[in-house]
Amino acid sequence: MALAQAKIDLTEARLSRLEMPAGSSWAAEARQGAAARLRASGLPTRRDEYWKFTDPATLTAAEPPQAAIFEARDEAPLYDGIDRLKLVFVDGVFDAAASDDLTLEGVEIDLLADALAKDIHWAKDLYGVLETRGQDPVARPLAALNTAYATNGIVLRATGKVSKPINLIYLHNDVASDAILHHLVKIEEGAEVTVLESGPAAARFNKCMEIEVADGGTFHHVRAQGRDHERRAVTHMFSRISSGSTFKSFTLTANGVLTRNENIIEIVGDDAVAHVAGAALGDGARGAFHHDDTVFITHDAERCESRQVFKKVLRNRAEGVFQGKILVRQGAQKTDGYQISQALLLDEDSSFQAKPELEIYADDVICSHGSTTGAIDEDGLFYLRSRGVPEDKATDLLVLAFLAEAIEEIEDERLREDILLRLQQWLERRRG
């Protein structure tokens, strides 16, 4: 089907502001293939099925909207008490001076530009490969744009159990920055790594991460987005999970005009585990808040487990979206798939849209999904207030209790406590 002229014009206007980076012949081929996919589908509009709840106009415009710099006064950096390897990006550009040395036992780390410039590099078998697979059955043109034009990112190969987390820190210093980052993560058989992400990154941010977990490998991921009030971001995580491997990802989002997080997971080996979770705090009082989680998990192996747990707390005209799908292919027997999306609306002006889906072609499975939207628990609020807890603090306690199921998906207790403490601090500042 031919693209509408409006889509063609939108796509070409965006591409006219970009220049395809130089690199090796295989990298150039991957980039050109991504650009062809992008032109074939066109950039998304509100008319596209997977964008009907979220307006992508500011993500696709040729010029990025400006975003004021957010000053987090008297707030220690996230994960500050945890020994970690720090890799810093400022408005999407790697800052070597602010980063730690790339050497760490059990892992090989390169910069994306360096890896893509080499004629022989393991990145050849991963760059754009999972993104391409993730375009079917749903087109993801902003991910294709990323593969075609990303110049910065980290290329990481875990060969053993990495002794400490690797923290990708994103700083936003330019009100008009338009960052495109692409990370590759390859986890060899039996290896284990934890990747942390933190910070707002840019006025407009487009990020892709492609993750391949070999047999018996383990990938842990904890991400904190924000707290810039005016930022806009679209992110994609494309993952392929092999036999006996574990994939766990958690995202905390606070503030921001527009955030769209897509997570596309393909389980291809027996006895694998894939969990993805998120907690969002949205307050539209500062202009706007729109948060969209879109997840697609494909089961293509036996005896595998997947979990989707997403919680959103919304107030002052904030908007939340969840689109989650579990696809169980023929032969993927003994699948255990669970999906829950819930929103807590703290007023009558906020809204939550949910589209949970199951598509099952195997007959011996346990799969469930559910979605709820509700107000604060009045009985719980009365109980706390009757014991002398002020209403605003009682509300915060109930908010934390509501988010607990998602936060519990963080396996590392240190990281879980750090995220919980940061949530408590943010809620207290809001009261102040």
Side-chain angles (χ1 to χ4, degrees):
M1 181 183 295
L3 288 182
Q5 188 61 45
K7 268 206 167 196
I8 295 173
D9 293 343
L10 174 67
T11 304
E12 294 304 324
R14 179 73 176 99
L15 298 189
S16 70
R17 309 291 296 183
L18 299 170
E19 183 176 346
M20 193 167 289
S24 63
S25 59
W26 64 264
E29 184 178 350
R31 293 186 186 282
Q32 291 163 5
R37 291 193 296 278
L38 173 58
R39 284 191 163 96
S41 63
L43 285 171
T45 69
R46 198 68 178 267
R47 291 179 177 270
D48 292 301
E49 176 66 20
Y50 266 68
W51 286 91
K52 68 179 183 179
F53 299 130
T54 300
D55 187 354
T58 56
L59 300 173
T60 59
E63 292 287 344
Q66 293 195 358
I69 308 301
F70 177 78
E71 298 291 342
R73 297 181 179 87
D74 303 321
E75 186 173 302
L78 193 62
Y79 320 125
D80 203 36
I82 296 172
D83 184 23
R84 66 203 194 280
L85 182 75
K86 293 176 284 187
L87 305 177
V88 180
F89 292 83
V90 181
D91 292 310
V93 178
F94 181 69
D95 187 340
S99 300
D100 294 333
D101 187 86
L102 299 183
T103 304
L104 181 63
E105 185 177 357
V107 65
E108 301 169 2
I109 304 174
D110 290 321
L111 299 181
L112 180 74
D114 293 342
L116 269 55
K118 297 176 181 177
D119 290 331
I120 300 176
H121 196 284
W122 63 261
K124 178 181 179 180
D125 297 326
L126 188 54
Y127 186 73
V129 173
L130 301 188
E131 176 263 303
T132 302
R133 294 174 66 89
Q135 300 287 346
D136 182 27
V138 178
R140 306 181 195 276
L142 286 167
L145 182 147
N146 183 295
T147 298
Y149 294 98
T151 57
N152 273 273
I154 290 296
V155 175
L156 182 160
R157 184 168 76 100
T159 56
K161 185 170 183 178
V162 183
S163 60
K164 56 185 177 182
I166 297 168
N167 187 187
L168 307 180
I169 301 170
Y170 307 130
L171 303 181
H172 172 208
N173 289 341
D174 182 348
V175 297
S177 55
D178 192 12
I180 301 177
L181 284 180
H182 196 115
H183 304 307
L184 302 179
V185 179
K186 183 177 178 65
I187 301 172
E188 300 288 6
E189 186 172 340
E192 180 176 349
V193 69
T194 296
V195 174
L196 311 177
E197 296 185 276
S198 55
R204 181 170 68 179
F205 187 36
N206 181 326
K207 190 207 74 180
C208 271
M209 183 181 288
E210 296 182 276
I211 306 130
E212 184 164 51
V213 188
D215 293 354
T218 301
F219 176 74
H220 290 290
H221 173 248
V222 179
R223 170 173 55 175
Q225 297 174 307
R227 292 190 290 131
D228 284 30
H229 291 291
E230 298 180 8
R231 63 174 171 77
R232 293 167 172 84
V234 57
T235 75
H236 294 80
M237 293 181 68
F238 297 95
S239 308
R240 181 163 55 193
I241 315 300
S242 299
S243 297
S245 61
T246 299
F247 171 99
K248 290 191 175 182
S249 174
F250 169 85
T251 298
L252 170 66
T253 305
N255 300 348
V257 173
L258 171 62
T259 305
R260 163 96 163 203
N261 295 324
E262 297 201 27
N263 212 314
I264 302 93
I265 302 171
E266 188 177 10
I267 305 175
V268 298
D270 296 341
D271 304 299
V273 172
H275 290 199
V276 57
L281 293 173
D283 191 332
R286 294 181 180 268
F289 177 91
H290 185 98
H291 187 273
D292 181 336
D293 284 302
T294 294
V295 183
F296 197 117
I297 297 181
T298 300
H299 285 263
D300 201 9
E302 295 186 354
R303 300 180 303 280
C304 295
E305 172 187 293
S306 70
R307 295 285 184 270
Q308 300 175 45
V309 181
F310 289 88
K311 303 292 188 83
K312 303 182 194 294
V313 180
L314 308 170
R315 63 185 297 169
N316 292 322
R317 301 176 303 282
E319 298 173 338
V321 174
F322 174 78
Q323 300 180 106
K325 183 165 184 174
I326 300 173
L327 170 61
V328 182
R329 295 196 184 278
Q330 187 174 3
Q333 305 294 359
K334 305 295 183 181
T335 288
D336 180 357
Y338 171 76
Q339 178 195 99
I340 186 70
S341 61
Q342 295 179 315
L344 179 62
L345 306 184
L346 298 182
D347 56 35
E348 296 183 356
D349 299 322
S350 299
S351 63
F352 178 61
Q353 304 283 347
K355 184 185 177 185
E357 296 180 90
L358 298 177
E359 187 173 345
I360 301 172
Y361 298 98
D363 55 12
D364 186 7
V365 304
I366 301 174
C367 290
S368 64
H369 65 171
S371 181
T372 63
T373 304
I376 201 80
D377 180 2
E378 293 295 339
D379 289 339
L381 187 62
F382 175 80
Y383 176 86
L384 291 170
R385 294 196 65 192
S386 67
R387 279 150 182 80
V389 181
E391 183 173 0
D392 54 358
K393 188 173 182 179
T395 299
D396 290 350
L397 290 172
L398 293 173
V399 165
L400 291 171
F402 172 76
L403 297 173
E405 183 182 1
I407 297 170
E408 283 298 317
E409 288 293 326
I410 304 173
E411 189 159 308
D412 188 315
E413 184 178 356
R414 301 170 304 162
L415 296 172
R416 188 166 63 244
E417 291 300 320
D418 209 25
I419 289 290
L420 186 58
L421 176 60
R422 189 53 51 95
L423 273 171
Q424 291 171 334
Q425 292 172 343
W426 289 351
L427 291 170
E428 288 170 3
R429 284 189 176 90
R430 187 194 67 193
R431 293 203 311 268

